[in-house]
Amino acid sequence: DQILCVLRRRYGRVSAERVVSGPGLLNLYEALCEIEGTSPTCPTPREVGERAALGDRLAALAVERFMLSLATLAGDMVLTFGATGGLYI
């Protein structure tokens, strides 16, 4: 909820693409930094992923939230389109 509030303040409407995309990973990371009261130190989505792999807590939380959001969106699409043959990402 806090992440959504930060993103709404920044963008107004928050679509799935604001979260589940390359720039979305950076949006999540920057929102988490704002919530924690720290300045972001990762300037690109790639760096967020790299720092997450090295154990940076906020970067890892951003990647985790990204993956959870991707899984939710994928599940919604499966149900929406009645996919019966599986899901390929």
Side-chain angles (χ1 to χ4, degrees):
D1 288 339
Q2 289 177 315
I3 293 170
L4 187 55
C5 287
V6 169
L7 295 178
R8 278 190 180 140
R9 206 170 36 251
R10 186 180 297 172
Y11 299 109
R13 180 179 179 277
V14 180
S15 64
E17 290 79 15
R18 290 276 185 215
V19 175
V20 184
S21 65
L25 179 58
L26 190 58
N27 288 335
L28 288 168
Y29 170 73
E30 289 172 348
L32 288 166
C33 286
E34 184 175 324
I35 291 164
E36 292 281 320
T38 64
S39 296
T41 57
C42 297
T44 65
R46 179 184 183 121
E47 192 157 339
V48 174
E50 290 170 353
R51 291 216 186 150
L54 294 173
D56 181 291
R57 186 179 71 81
L58 289 178
L61 285 172
V63 170
E64 179 181 6
R65 175 53 49 199
F66 178 90
M67 298 306 289
L68 289 169
S69 298
L70 176 61
T72 298
L73 181 62
D76 288 349
M77 293 295 103
V78 165
L79 293 173
T80 298
F81 294 107
T84 58
L87 169 70
Y88 297 93
I89 298 178

